[in-house]
């Protein structure tokens, strides 16, 4: 049930864009995106519910394609502070259920 | 967002001892909390679901007698690693949702780094 994330790692220069994908073989109810910096707990970025919605927060946005059971996280005009490991967590149904996380995508932004 | 705290933030212990980790929801009540474990450069692996007032639900492969979970109140869940061994060294993180307020975001505590010598 673990979602599959791609790419595994990416290196960007400041100002460049990146896309991180998260896909599931099962029908999803929701997709949650987190960023984790070394030695720290994951920080919540955003959540997408089934219905194909798209959300954005400043230069970070995400979409959820219900037909493909795939979510994508878009990072535009990347900043040094964007560096970290990005995880998607998925839920198969509504309710107080735990998230199942992908293996993560390590993003490094260099000057 | 909702705040989840953990204590201690790090602990070093000798092999064979037991270690208790506390997870608290500071500004909301959590009927359910989740315990995850993370090895270096790896993903978060769900260990168990902690339910207030009832037994925890453990994931396959997680020894319930080794990782004791108690969820005695709506704001506190504890994870006790019994007879810890070096292979138990890891980053343990709890999370919870503010379901009463209808929240769907899952907030994580700051984590506890356990090192067993």
């Amino acid at each position: 049930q673990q979602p599959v994330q791609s790419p595994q790692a990416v290196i960007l220069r400041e100002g460049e864009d990146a896309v991180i994908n998260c896909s599931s073989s099962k029908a999803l109810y929701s997709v949650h995106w987190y960023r984790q910096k070394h030695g720290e707990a994951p920080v919540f970025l955003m959540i997408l519910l089934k219905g194909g919605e798209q959300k954005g927060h400043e230069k970070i946005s995400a979409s959820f394609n219900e037909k493909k059971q795939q979510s994508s996280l878009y990072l535009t005009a990347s900043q040094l502070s964007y560096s970290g490991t990005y995880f998607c967590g998925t839920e198969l149904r509504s309710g107080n259920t735990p998230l199942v996380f992908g293996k993560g995508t390590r993003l490094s932004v260099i000057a | 967002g909702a705040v989840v705290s953990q204590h201690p933030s790090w602990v070093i212990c000798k092999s064979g001892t037991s270690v208790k980790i506390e997870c608290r929801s500071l500004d909301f009540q959590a009927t359910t909390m989740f315990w995850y474990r993370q090895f270096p450069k790896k993903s978060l692996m769900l260990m168990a679901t902690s339910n207030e007032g009832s037994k925890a639900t453990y994931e396959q492969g997680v020894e319930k007698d080794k990782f004791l979970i108690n969820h005695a109140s709506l704001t506190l869940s504890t994870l006790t690693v019994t007879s810890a061994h070096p292979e138990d060294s890891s980053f343990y993180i709890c999370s919870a949702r503010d379901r009463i307020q209808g929240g769907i975001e899952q907030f994580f505590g700051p984590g506890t780094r356990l090192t067993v010598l």
Side-chain angles (χ1 to χ4, degrees):
Chain A
Q1 289 187 5
Q2 185 177 38
V4 177
Q5 283 187 239
S6 63
Q8 291 184 350
V10 60
I11 299 175
L12 299 174
R13 291 194 179 275
E14 273 188 294
E16 292 183 336
D17 303 337
V19 180
I20 300 172
N21 297 307
C22 173
S23 60
S24 172
S25 59
K26 294 183 178 292
L28 297 175
Y29 169 72
S30 67
V31 179
H32 303 229
W33 285 98
Y34 291 82
R35 177 171 58 213
Q36 185 180 33
K37 295 196 180 273
H38 181 70
E40 299 177 7
V43 173
F44 173 79
L45 293 177
M46 65 186 75
I47 180 174
L48 298 106
L49 302 175
K50 68 176 183 178
E53 65 175 340
Q54 184 162 352
K55 283 190 174 181
H57 177 67
E58 295 184 350
K59 297 178 182 177
I60 300 176
S61 62
S63 64
F64 180 19
N65 186 319
E66 195 176 346
K67 288 184 179 180
K68 293 184 177 180
Q69 298 306 323
Q70 178 177 307
S71 178
S72 297
L73 185 71
Y74 306 95
L75 305 168
T76 58
S78 59
Q79 306 168 13
L80 294 176
S81 61
Y82 286 4
S83 294
T85 301
Y86 289 77
F87 291 99
C88 67
T90 58
E91 279 183 293
L92 300 183
R93 63 183 188 278
S94 173
N96 206 359
T97 55
L99 297 176
V100 178
F101 288 91
K103 292 186 176 181
T105 296
R106 188 171 302 168
L107 176 71
S108 300
V109 181
I110 58 177
Chain B
V3 179
V4 178
S5 72
Q6 274 184 249
H7 178 79
S9 55
W10 60 270
V11 57
I12 301 173
C13 69
K14 292 183 178 180
S15 185
T17 60
S18 295
V19 175
K20 180 185 285 188
I21 303 170
E22 293 184 349
C23 176
R24 293 181 185 274
S25 55
L26 296 186
D27 51 359
F28 67 100
Q29 294 180 327
T31 56
T32 303
M33 292 182 175
F34 309 104
W35 286 96
Y36 291 84
R37 180 177 183 177
Q38 186 178 36
F39 291 106
K41 299 184 180 180
K42 298 294 184 183
S43 185
L44 297 98
M45 299 304 297
L46 178 68
M47 297 177 66
T49 299
S50 172
N51 303 298
E52 188 269 334
S54 64
K55 292 183 179 180
T57 305
Y58 290 83
E59 294 299 298
Q60 191 172 8
V62 178
E63 299 176 59
K64 61 180 180 181
D65 294 331
K66 181 168 186 62
F67 299 101
L68 300 178
I69 292 174
N70 184 281
H71 195 149
S73 76
L74 287 172
T75 59
L76 173 64
S77 174
T78 59
L79 168 67
T80 301
V81 183
T82 62
S83 187
H85 291 284
E87 58 265 30
D88 298 324
S89 298
S90 189
F91 192 46
Y92 292 87
I93 317 174
C94 68
S95 69
R97 291 192 176 100
D98 184 3
R99 277 298 183 184
I100 294 177
Q101 294 296 324
I104 55 177
E105 299 94 337
Q106 190 166 326
F107 294 96
F108 283 87
T112 297
R113 189 163 303 281
L114 171 64
T115 303
V116 185
L117 302 177

